[in-house]
Amino acid sequence: MVRSNQYSAAEAFNWGLRSVGALQMGRALQDYRLVHASREMYGRALYHMARTLNNPALVTADTTLAAAILLGGYEMANVTGEKAWMLHSRGISHLYQLRGAQAHADGMGRTLLLSFKGFLVYEALLNGESCFLEDEEWKQIIPQMIEDETRRGKVSRLGALIDFAGYEIARCPGFVKRTRSLVAETDPSDDERESLVKSITECQNTLYEYQTEMTAGVTASRKSQETDFAGVISADLVGPLWDYSMQGVNAAIAILNQLLTVLRADRTRRTVPKVTAGQQGCQPGKSAWEVLDYSSISGAIATGRRARQAPGPQQRVDFETWFDRVSMTMGMLDETAPFINYTSG
């Protein structure tokens, strides 16, 4: 029975890989038969995944997590429904947590974390939940990751900064959730509000530091043609990686700034007469959260409406671009912020 279940884990991965490959090839060749075949392969992969998950000894295996990520990728590429990929993401999130942070500090575990962590942050934001990647144990493995790469001669200061920035970005969904809860409270304490403001401000300032260091490092590298800052990252990838990473950092800073605006407006709303609050920009009968303006983030209104309809690739042809953007911005697309507003309770 054990050998049978182990075989199912491998089969889940193999059929998942085949399904994604067949789908992409079918799209490229405009061959509907291949696309249809990919769905059958996907069904087989799901069957073997279900068998694998029924064995506690295999739930935390690398092969199991890799297969789950492939199945999530298939749903993203196939666009079968608005939130189908998010169901896979929720399950994948549980697998990461069962495995624990130390399982992802190096080797295949690190690769599996890097391949999907942007989607974990993005999905948490869309669902209005905290992301487990904000927990201290996930921050503590970053120096271990860097040490392991240094030992293997794969040093990159740019990569290290992106890892640290990614942790701060993963804290954003939690800040959104906490801000929602505080604004919804009947009588939140000043200490509670000030503690939240302090945490958000510290996170924002840390991101500003990473933003400055990444910009200065890339700029200096371009001027001197030196590779010390980028390290093992090839020259042709430095530009796109830095650009996407900066988009993620900038979007996170913008969201944190908006949360601080909400908290200040909520405090004002609770301490001054309604008519005065209205004159200061808080409309009578509406909370600070409801009147929050996200126009400071590029394309907020247009992308917000589109995101409300489908928080994923809008069309099948958008998949690769969308996938790269979520991954490389660490889960912080420009349209994330307005979508947060639309999904608030």
Side-chain angles (χ1 to χ4, degrees):
M1 179 62 71
V2 173
R3 290 183 63 186
S4 176
N5 279 328
Q6 289 176 337
Y7 180 71
S8 286
E11 286 294 275
F13 177 82
N14 290 336
W15 283 111
L17 188 61
R18 292 168 185 168
S19 67
V20 172
L23 178 63
Q24 293 297 86
M25 184 175 294
R27 296 265 178 78
L29 300 176
Q30 296 184 340
D31 187 338
Y32 180 77
R33 291 175 300 176
L34 269 177
V35 174
H36 181 73
S38 77
R39 294 170 185 161
E40 294 185 356
M41 296 173 189
Y42 174 69
R44 292 191 184 190
L46 286 177
Y47 167 77
H48 288 290
M49 175 60 72
R51 293 187 62 189
T52 300
L53 295 178
N54 282 329
N55 184 348
L58 296 177
V59 169
T60 58
D62 286 349
T63 304
T64 302
L65 178 57
I69 291 172
L70 280 172
L71 296 178
Y74 181 89
E75 283 290 359
M76 294 174 196
N78 198 37
V79 197
T80 55
E82 288 187 9
K83 300 182 180 180
W85 72 269
M86 295 173 69
L87 297 177
H88 278 286
S89 180
R90 182 57 57 93
I92 292 168
S93 173
H94 289 310
L95 291 180
Y96 279 112
Q97 293 176 75
L98 284 172
R99 289 162 56 90
Q102 283 299 322
H104 303 91
D106 53 33
M108 178 57 69
R110 171 157 167 73
T111 300
L112 291 171
L113 176 61
L114 291 175
S115 67
F116 206 77
K117 69 176 183 178
F119 297 96
L120 299 172
V121 175
Y122 187 55
E123 183 249 331
L125 278 168
L126 297 180
N127 283 324
E129 299 292 339
S130 300
C131 181
F132 70 90
L133 292 174
E134 73 172 5
D135 296 344
E136 186 66 22
E137 65 171 324
W138 294 92
K139 180 180 181 180
Q140 291 176 352
I141 67 170
I142 297 177
Q144 296 179 45
M145 294 177 178
I146 297 171
E147 181 181 347
D148 176 66
E149 292 184 344
T150 300
R151 187 167 53 248
R152 292 185 291 114
K154 296 186 176 182
V155 182
S156 172
R157 180 57 183 164
L158 175 60
L161 286 170
I162 291 173
D163 281 335
F164 281 113
Y167 170 76
E168 298 301 326
I169 286 175
R171 301 174 67 191
C172 290
F175 287 137
V176 172
K177 182 179 181 179
R178 289 170 62 187
T179 301
R180 279 191 204 290
S181 298
L182 188 144
V183 170
E185 287 183 25
T186 303
D187 188 23
S189 68
D190 289 338
D191 288 343
E192 183 181 6
R193 179 183 287 106
E194 290 308 311
S195 175
L196 180 54
V197 168
K198 180 180 178 182
S199 296
I200 292 174
T201 302
E202 289 176 349
C203 180
Q204 189 180 55
N205 288 339
T206 301
L207 285 171
Y208 275 127
E209 292 175 6
Y210 293 144
Q211 180 190 61
T212 300
E213 191 168 350
M214 281 194 285
T215 301
V218 170
T219 301
S221 296
R222 287 173 174 172
K223 288 182 178 179
S224 62
Q225 300 299 313
E226 294 181 359
T227 59
D228 289 348
F229 183 71
V232 295
I233 300 175
S234 60
D236 59 327
L237 292 179
V238 171
L241 181 60
W242 173 77
D243 183 56
Y244 276 116
S245 298
M246 289 300 291
Q247 287 180 36
V249 170
N250 291 340
I253 289 173
I255 286 177
L256 296 176
N257 189 55
Q258 294 294 327
L259 295 181
L260 292 173
T261 300
V262 167
L263 292 168
R264 286 193 294 267
D266 180 65
R267 180 179 55 191
T268 300
R269 179 178 66 88
R270 296 175 188 273
T271 57
V272 299
K274 286 186 177 180
V275 62
T276 305
Q279 293 172 352
Q280 293 185 0
C282 212
Q283 302 173 18
K286 291 192 175 184
S287 71
W289 192 267
E290 291 173 316
V291 299
L292 182 60
D293 177 18
Y294 284 103
S295 59
S296 62
I297 300 177
S298 64
I301 302 302
T303 56
R305 290 178 182 142
R306 187 167 65 248
R308 176 170 51 175
Q309 297 169 357
Q314 304 306 306
Q315 304 174 32
R316 293 183 176 117
V317 294
D318 292 338
F319 166 68
E320 290 185 5
T321 299
W322 179 83
F323 189 94
D324 289 344
R325 289 178 61 216
V326 176
S327 297
M328 297 178 71
T329 62
M330 296 168 277
M332 280 287 161
L333 302 187
D334 284 346
E335 57 262 37
T336 302
F339 188 80
I340 292 169
N341 196 31
Y342 291 129
T343 57
S344 62

